[in-house]
Amino acid sequence: MSPPVFRFAPSPNGYLHLGHALSALLNFEMARAAGSRLLLRIEDIDAARCQPQYEQAIYEDLAWLGISWEEPVRRQSAHFDDYRAALAELDRLGLIYPSFESRGEIGALLAAREAHAPWPRDPDGAPLYPGAAKQLSSEERTRLMASGAPYALRLDMNAATARAGNLVWTEQGEGPDGETGHVPARPQAWGDVILARKETPTSYHLSVVVDDALQGVTEVVRGQDLFHATSVHRLLQRLLGMGEPAYRHHRLIRDAAGHKLAKSTASTGLRELRAAGMVPSDIRRLVGLQNTL
């Protein structure tokens, strides 16, 4: 058997914090213990927020922690053709459609629906798509796209789940409610998720699935905040004929108020902590790994 392949995949839209350190260290130590490979992937599809200085800081912070990885580093922005190919396959299967509503129009549709009853929300708390773009004729879709109108490409969740059938994944860690072992996937909870936009031919869900498959990733070790997203990832893997890695979702590092760390601060940012005189062993202690490394 080939050795397992791990990956750490940060986005260069800010500086790394203690939550990133926990995930990176877990991946590094698990790969080292298994005598296997650790890949570093830069998830930089958001051109507006991702910046070169943040990417450079990722390399510096990881090296300071003593983490090494296999070269070359895959940068998602250099592989849009891979994601376009996946979209083309989903389109061939009749599983995606364009929606043209603006954020304001979606907000108005949502308000109208919620005037009668609560509208369902996805596991992250965002409202499901309330529009009716799926009912547009192919001629109207073609006309609108040719006109230059902005659009999002959405997965037809009903059609996709009907095609895929029942799905599970192997959870070697633990979900937010203690889920472990064979976990049933429930992608329907996400509604017709966006897989791409006119200006960006991919999304987090699509690119992470394609990248993991192309890079031969066998072990996905990441935070519990992405546990429920795994349902969408399993669905896309089945639809695209891609392999299923094993998943290990780990606890999150939280701030004093109990919230998930969302950005680097003086108390949680690796660069700030290093400037304050901390050393890598201090970071391991802060993330609760001092007895495991």
Side-chain angles (χ1 to χ4, degrees), residues 74-159:
R74 181 179 174 95
R75 300 175 69 251
Q76 288 183 335
S77 60
H79 297 277
F80 281 166
D81 284 347
D82 292 334
Y83 313 135
R84 290 188 181 98
L87 286 171
E89 174 62 10
L90 295 172
D91 186 41
R92 184 188 70 80
L93 295 172
L95 299 178
I96 58 175
Y97 65 91
S99 63
F100 300 91
E101 299 95 342
S102 66
R103 293 182 187 275
E105 289 168 335
I106 287 179
L109 287 170
L110 180 63
R113 291 181 181 275
E114 290 197 318
H116 303 284
W119 186 250
R121 293 177 179 264
D122 68 26
D124 284 344
L128 302 191
Y129 172 61
K134 193 159 44 179
Q135 276 68 58
L136 291 175
S137 67
S138 58
E139 293 79 13
E140 183 65 4
R141 291 176 184 175
T142 300
R143 184 190 69 77
L144 287 168
M145 293 176 79
S147 74
Y151 61 85
L153 290 176
R154 295 181 178 272
L155 182 67
D156 184 336
M157 188 59 73
N158 288 338

Side-chain angles (χ1 to χ4, degrees), residues 208-268:
V208 74
V209 166
V210 170
D211 288 346
D212 283 345
L214 292 180
Q215 293 190 285
V217 171
T218 63
E219 316 290 323
V220 173
V221 180
R222 61 189 184 186
Q224 287 178 340
D225 53 324
L226 293 170
F227 177 83
H228 294 293
T230 309
S231 288
V232 177
H233 302 166
R234 283 295 296 120
L235 175 61
L236 291 173
Q237 288 160 359
R238 174 70 61 83
L239 296 173
L240 294 169
M242 295 175 171
E244 171 198 356
Y247 290 89
R248 183 184 295 270
H249 292 90
H250 60 73
R251 60 185 169 83
L252 301 177
I253 303 294
R254 300 185 180 276
D255 61 20
H259 301 134
K260 181 191 78 167
L261 300 183
K263 62 181 178 179
S264 174
T265 67
S267 61
T268 64

Side-chain angles (χ1 to χ4, degrees), residues 15 45 57 64 67 93 103 110 146 165-166 188 249 262 273:
Y15 292 116
I45 61 173
W64 175 69
I67 294 173
L93 295 172
R103 293 182 187 275
L110 180 63
N166 293 331
Q188 299 92 333
H249 292 90
L273 294 171

